[in-house]
Amino acid sequence: MTSWAGCPQGGPGGPEGDAGGPQTAGRDGFEYAFFVARIRVLETRLLTRNHLLRMVDAPDAETAFRMLGETEYGPAVAAAGTAADYEIALAAELGRVFGIIRAASPEPELPELLGVAYDWQNLKTALKASLTGRPIDGRFLIAAGNLDRALFFAVASGADGSLPSPYRETAARARAVYAASHDPQQVDVVVDGARFAAIIEIARSTGFELIGTLAAASADLINLRTVMRIRLLRASPDLLRQALLPGGTIPAARVASMVTGELDEIAGAASSLPYREVVSGGVNGFRQSGSLALLEKLIDDYLMGLVRDARYVALGPEPVIAYLMAKEAEIKNLRIIFTGKLNRLPEGTIRERLRETYA
Amino acid sequence: MIIDVSPTRMELLKLRKRVAVAIRGHKLLKDKRDELMKEFLRLIRENRSLRADVEGKLVAAFRSFLVARAVMPREALETAIMAPKQQVSMDVGSAVVMNVHVPRFELRQEGDVVSYGFVDTSAELDAALGAFSDVLPMLVRLAEVEKSAQLLADEIERTRRRVNALEYVLIPELQAAVKSISMKLSEQERSNIARLMRIKEIVRA
């Protein structure tokens, strides 16, 4: 899954932002000297676009999986065995990367912040299982989070008391909202909103500015994408108002007003922001194909472009954050390739959905 | 099978009635068979176009779902679709077509098909679920048409056997029996006349 923001996106300070790239305030970057050097080595092992395209061109999924086994995914591929179990290999690789970051990070807050999205995702899964009376499937709880999965099994059986704050309060609010509405969508809306507020707050309090700016831009872009989706679904404007994420730079009232306006208004709303081309490209793509696939790809690509700027930060947490996001984007690309190959999707369909790579 | 009856006038009258009833029944069954065929062909035509339509839409929906699956992590996808919001109910009834009870399904879909948040999910999932939701009523109608066609086909087969049995077995046999009795009665009549004439000659002599 794509780290803390749900959908990788860019924001102020990106390729069109400050020329100096992201900076980390209130932190001595020298403590990261060894770790950044190690990350630079790990970066050289990231898959390039050529690697991915060769896998897309492979005659079948098994061949593509063998090709993946020749990269640093080798042990994970060997453990998974066959291409059908590619999710096991991808999860193992993500776990390995998190293990490296947790073991080597000079600040424990950094891996915690990077893993926080998985905790929120697990909370959502557990809450929905609990509220709808369905048994929770352990395979759908992500192991890369900070909190023990046993906590989420407890949530699934109705016991939220062991959860730390703000998860516990969010769980209580989600349960109250569900009790009143019996609408599982509201559970997601409550948890997603709380997740963004929490990430922005942690980023602010710990001084990880890059994460803060990414989260803010993510909020904007996800909100704009949500407007498009609500329009397509002809859903209620009330739902849009509830689903809007906090922490963005475009006022919520302005985003909410776009649900009935012209499509150009959505592109116009982002015209003064650094990701205007993402939105206008996505809107044009929607006009041509009726699909938001291009918008989603452009959003991912934009974030990757933003994250690439972290290359130029010599010392500090940015290269670590960038590496993890690059790895997550790589895993997303591999998921696109293997789902496509296993289900014999046309190569063009796979290729046009591949995201930009970091390497 | 040969109908074994006494060659009496009473039996002859009975058999003639049975022949008339059989011929009338045969005509009625033929009409029923023709009408069933007409209805069956209409259903087959509807079934053919509906099936092509449903299969095309299902292929598109599954492809769309696969694409959604490709761009979303498995955990996010499973969580998103864990708890549906749309309520689907179906009334099952029946209608009578030429004395055949065929099923009638009435599907009701209430609520939105999208039951998840918008942060971790892809718009491709919205499209896929929308496509599945659109195809569901068509799928139910297809089931109704296919089952109706199957029941009508069974009834057509049964009726065709009855028509054939009447046309090629019962009516010819009854007619043969009528003919046989008529001939025997005629023979008896002639024999009786001959006997009477002979007695009359003896009496005159």
Side-chain angles (χ1 to χ4, degrees), chain A residues 187-314:
Chain A
V187 176
D188 282 9
V189 166
V190 167
V191 175
D192 290 338
R195 174 169 105 193
F196 264 73
I199 285 170
I200 288 170
E201 173 54 29
I202 299 170
R204 192 190 56 74
S205 63
T206 54
F208 292 116
E209 284 182 15
L210 177 60
I211 292 217
T213 50
L214 288 174
S218 297
D220 275 342
L221 285 163
I222 290 176
N223 284 345
L224 292 171
R225 187 185 66 169
T226 304
V227 172
M228 302 277 283
R229 290 172 72 179
I230 295 269
R231 288 169 69 113
L232 268 175
L233 294 167
R234 296 191 178 85
S236 145
D238 289 341
L239 176 61
L240 174 64
R241 274 189 286 276
Q242 291 160 357
L244 287 179
L245 295 171
T249 52
I250 309 174
R254 191 169 169 202
V255 180
S257 69
M258 294 173 197
V259 75
T260 51
E262 293 295 315
L263 274 178
D264 292 329
E265 233 180 274
I266 296 174
S271 61
S272 60
L273 298 169
Y275 38 76
R276 57 184 169 275
E277 285 173 13
V278 173
V279 180
S280 62
V283 168
N284 286 338
F286 172 72
R287 278 212 184 89
Q288 283 164 17
S289 65
S291 157
L292 295 179
L294 182 62
L295 176 68
E296 293 187 339
K297 177 185 152 42
L298 289 174
I299 288 172
D300 286 358
D301 290 350
Y302 180 81
L303 181 69
M304 190 45 67
L306 179 71
V307 165
R308 276 201 207 100
D309 272 13
R311 278 180 179 171
Y312 308 112
V313 176

Side-chain angles (χ1 to χ4, degrees), chain B residues 163-182:
Chain B
V163 168
N164 285 348
L166 283 173
E167 188 172 344
Y168 297 110
V169 181
L170 189 65
I171 293 175
E173 281 176 2
L174 285 173
Q175 285 172 335
V178 166
K179 192 176 174 187
S180 159
I181 293 173
S182 302

